Amino acid sequence: MNVQNYINGKFSPPVNDAWIDNYCPANGKIYGQIPNSSKDDIENAYIAAKSVFPLWSQTTIDERSKILIKISELLDANLQRFAEAESKDNGKPISLAKTVDIPRAASNFRFFGNAITQFASESHESVGHDAINYTLRQPIGIVGCISPWNLPLYLFTWKIAPAIAAGNCVVAKPSEITPVTAYLLGEICTEAGLPKGVLNIVHGLGNTTGQAIIEHPDIKAISFTGGTATGAHIAKVAAPMFKKLSLELGGKNPNIIFADCDYDDMLETTVRSSFANQGQICLCGSRIFVEAAIYEKFKTDFVEKVKKLKIGHPSKEDTNIGALVSKPHLEKVLQYINMAKKENGTILCGGNKVIVTDYEDGYYLEPTVIEVATDECRVNQEEIFGPVVTIMPFNTEDNVLQMANKVKYGLSATLWTNNLKRTMRMSHQLQAGIVWVNTWMLRDLRTPFGGVKASGVGREGGFEALRFFTEAKNVCIKY
Ligand code: NAD
């Protein structure tokens, strides 16, 4: 499928007519082209956005809410088409695209369509001064949204929905590796009656198209999800222009298992938290720490279950593990597996490329479990972002807490225990923006989402996202 930019409500090729090949991860073949947009396209997108701002911010909340909810309904109605497109573009199992990615994209619009109707500001009476203060929450203006390839439409819409709900106009760029569902979203927005120019979707590489967004002096806020190195670069470019920034970055999340947990539930969920989406979710629990008393049992049971995961073409309903997103990414993950061997890690299962019949050039890899000799080795410290987890035992709460926090990242952590006091102690001390206890990736869109340390700056989700996409202005009136 060939992709075009969506600017001012219309599909158009890039001004410089430069294109990038789009590969299908399941078979390694080129199946379309996408624009590699330049500064000129970003300028056109900006002009389109500017032409409808502040008009869009002056529409009633009811009107904005209705359009967002209409977009969510249209996504629901097109679930199958979008799920097939997402699975083909990204390599993820169709079952995941159908039950997680696309429903969540629809929920993002529904949620923020409703949330904006409840987004209240504050007022304070200055008693003794005969004055009243009230706080306005004004949209920023034209904002930039940049998203990664792992949950393409899910994360793209996670930014766009609150931005437009709050009255901003948007210049957005999805990942060049997975552009298709963002392209299809343009059609849906037009059909839902979103005024032209409110959302402009520009495709292209990070260092050309993305760079033009972050360097644009009049794009006043950037919401970015992606790698930590890219986030640091964006922060550097944005700082002299005092842009507002929300950075959702990498992770290397601990999954801490105590002997007193509900074992079967933990085992089932740990397989999922390790390998869902081929381990390419920023929230995956890639470092598994198991209390020594159940370590050997866990090791045997976990490996047995992982070996049963079905690797196959993403379009097959019974596939558990699809293809990795790209050839360079597959190679990077394989390098980490080799590194593990050099670091005295033991590969308990997996570790090899998989040849799927009829799709020999697809980017398939066995789900891989590595028993590490020390928590300080690189495979245990660096984000691999593939179907690879490390496991090791621990003896005490202090010992595991120290290891869990001894990485540069701090996105999420998972804890398995039935001990309430330990739950509280650990949850409060884990360096992470999100802690799950006896579950994983249970998301309530009202809750704050984001990381600490190298996992990011700022919070999205619920009213946090609406706060990010607005400026608070206090008005003080003496009466
Ligand atoms: P990436 O940083 O390479 O790219 C992300 C986006 O940024 C892409 O659209 C890319 O084109 C763009 N980009 C790259 N260089 C840019 C530049 N100079 N200026 C502007 N934009 C630029 O990340 P990726 O490989 O697409 O995604 C994987 C990473 O994303 C992993 O590290 C993962 O942990 C992280 N991630 C984080 C979260 C979270 O919520 N914290 C969620 C999903 C993924």
Side-chain angles (χ1 to χ4, degrees):
M1 178 185 287
N2 291 329
V3 162
Q4 296 207 320
N5 290 333
Y6 178 72
I7 297 176
N8 208 21
K10 285 198 214 79
F11 288 103
S12 54
V15 172
N16 58 7
D17 205 31
W19 300 86
I20 312 164
D21 292 333
N22 190 19
Y23 289 81
C24 174
N27 60 21
K29 301 209 170 10
I30 295 169
Y31 82 108
Q33 292 206 308
I34 77 158
N36 187 15
S37 305
S38 64
K39 260 190 168 163
D40 294 338
D41 300 285
I42 295 301
E43 190 56 28
N44 288 343
Y46 170 76
I47 291 167
K50 184 88 183 109
S51 71
V52 68
F53 188 86
L55 213 63
W56 171 246
S57 65
Q58 291 157 356
T59 53
T60 62
I61 283 180
D62 193 37
E63 205 171 322
R64 269 183 261 154
S65 170
K66 267 191 202 149
I67 293 175
L68 266 85
I69 288 168
K70 183 73 192 165
I71 297 174
S72 78
E73 288 167 357
L74 289 170
L75 280 172
D76 282 338
N78 284 277
L79 172 69
Q80 186 67 26
R81 185 163 72 102
F82 270 75
E84 281 170 14
E86 199 73 300
S87 167
K88 183 166 183 182
D89 210 22
N90 172 279
K92 67 177 68 217
I94 182 76
S95 57
L96 197 68
K98 261 200 300 202
T99 55
V100 176
D101 291 78
I102 308 306
R104 172 57 192 275
S107 294
N108 288 339
F109 282 104
R110 189 175 307 111
F111 175 81
F112 285 107
N114 286 315
I116 195 64
T117 67
Q118 304 295 318
F119 187 43
S121 63
E122 6 169 334
S123 70
H124 303 277
E125 185 169 12
S126 295
V127 179
H129 295 282
D130 293 343
I132 184 107
N133 294 271
Y134 64 92
T135 307
L136 292 172
R137 279 275 165 189
Q138 297 182 311
I140 293 168
I142 317 305
V143 301
C145 297
I146 302 176
S147 59
W149 49 258
N150 64 322
L151 301 167
L153 195 66
Y154 173 133
L155 289 173
F156 193 58
T157 55
W158 179 235
K159 301 178 174 309
I160 289 167
I164 63 179
N168 301 283
C169 296
V170 176
V171 177
K173 189 191 96 61
S175 169
E176 62 276 23
I177 303 172
T178 52
V180 170
T181 46
Y183 165 64
L184 298 176
L185 180 69
E187 271 172 32
I188 296 256
C189 289
T190 302
E191 197 182 336
L194 187 72
K196 55 185 190 178
V198 173
L199 171 62
N200 303 280
I201 304 171
V202 190
H203 298 272
L205 297 174
N207 58 10
T208 51
T209 320
Q211 186 71 20
I213 296 177
I214 61 172
E215 280 177 352
H216 198 293
D218 297 313
I219 296 180
K220 296 289 188 196
I222 306 285
S223 170
F224 169 80
T225 300
T228 294
T230 317
H233 169 75
I234 292 175
K236 225 183 246 176
V237 173
M241 289 178 272
F242 305 104
K243 287 179 197 253
K244 218 175 166 184
L245 279 190
S246 168
L247 303 174
E248 303 283 351
L249 310 176
K252 186 77 178 176
N253 311 306
N255 180 5
I256 302 167
I257 300 166
F258 283 92
D260 70 348
C261 68
D262 291 338
Y263 188 83
D264 292 345
D265 188 14
M266 174 278 295
L267 191 64
E268 199 75 40
T269 310
T270 295
V271 173
R272 208 163 47 82
S273 68
S274 303
F275 299 113
N277 205 36
Q278 296 73 250
Q280 304 167 136
I281 301 181
C282 54
L283 303 166
C284 278
S286 50
R287 291 182 295 146
I288 305 177
F289 297 104
V290 187
E291 193 168 5
I294 58 163
Y295 183 69
E296 289 304 324
K297 175 173 168 51
F298 172 82
K299 203 163 99 173
T300 310
D301 295 346
F302 183 59
V303 167
E304 191 187 309
K305 272 201 177 287
V306 173
K307 281 184 176 164
K308 286 190 184 139
L309 290 172
K310 193 157 189 299
I311 307 163
H313 194 279
S315 68
K316 295 205 166 127
E317 289 288 346
D318 62 348
T319 291
N320 303 122
I321 305 278
L324 268 66
V325 75
S326 69
K327 199 169 177 194
H329 189 56
L330 171 68
E331 279 158 11
K332 176 192 142 182
V333 177
L334 281 166
Q335 273 172 19
Y336 270 106
I337 293 171
N338 278 330
M339 186 190 295
K341 294 175 192 158
K342 289 187 195 137
E343 291 182 322
N344 299 322
T346 308
I347 312 287
L348 299 177
C349 67
N352 302 302
K353 269 180 77 169
V354 179
I355 303 296
V356 173
T357 315
D358 297 334
Y359 308 105
E360 285 76 10
D361 294 327
Y363 318 133
Y364 301 94
L365 180 65
E366 289 171 335
T368 304
V369 181
I370 304 169
E371 184 175 49
V372 284
T374 154
D375 67 298
E376 288 179 351
C377 60
R378 283 183 64 190
V379 283
N380 205 52
Q381 289 286 321
E382 297 175 18
E383 186 183 45
I384 301 174
F385 213 55
V388 178
V389 290
T390 60
I391 71 168
M392 63 177 290
F394 69 87
N395 289 308
T396 66
E397 203 177 297
D398 283 350
N399 166 228
V400 73
L401 192 62
Q402 202 198 13
M403 292 193 289
N405 287 340
K406 211 178 1 157
V407 290
K408 69 174 186 172
Y409 298 104
L411 187 54
S412 70
T414 303
L415 191 59
W416 290 93
T417 178
N418 278 314
N419 180 323
L420 178 63
K421 288 182 181 173
R422 171 190 289 148
T423 298
M424 307 285 283
R425 277 194 303 270
M426 295 281 294
S427 304
H428 294 202
Q429 291 182 80
L430 280 163
Q431 295 169 356
I434 304 145
V435 178
W436 278 293
V437 182
N438 299 331
T439 184
W440 175 72
M441 217 173 151
L442 199 164
R443 291 280 299 122
D444 181 324
L445 301 193
R446 292 169 298 182
T447 60
F449 181 94
V452 298
K453 304 200 285 188
S455 290
V457 177
R459 292 291 177 274
E460 297 187 351
F463 292 139
E464 297 285 342
L466 295 176
R467 285 188 198 106
F468 174 74
F469 284 114
T470 53
E471 290 285 9
K473 179 194 282 176
N474 192 66
V475 180
C476 175
I477 303 173
K478 190 162 168 73
Y479 49 81

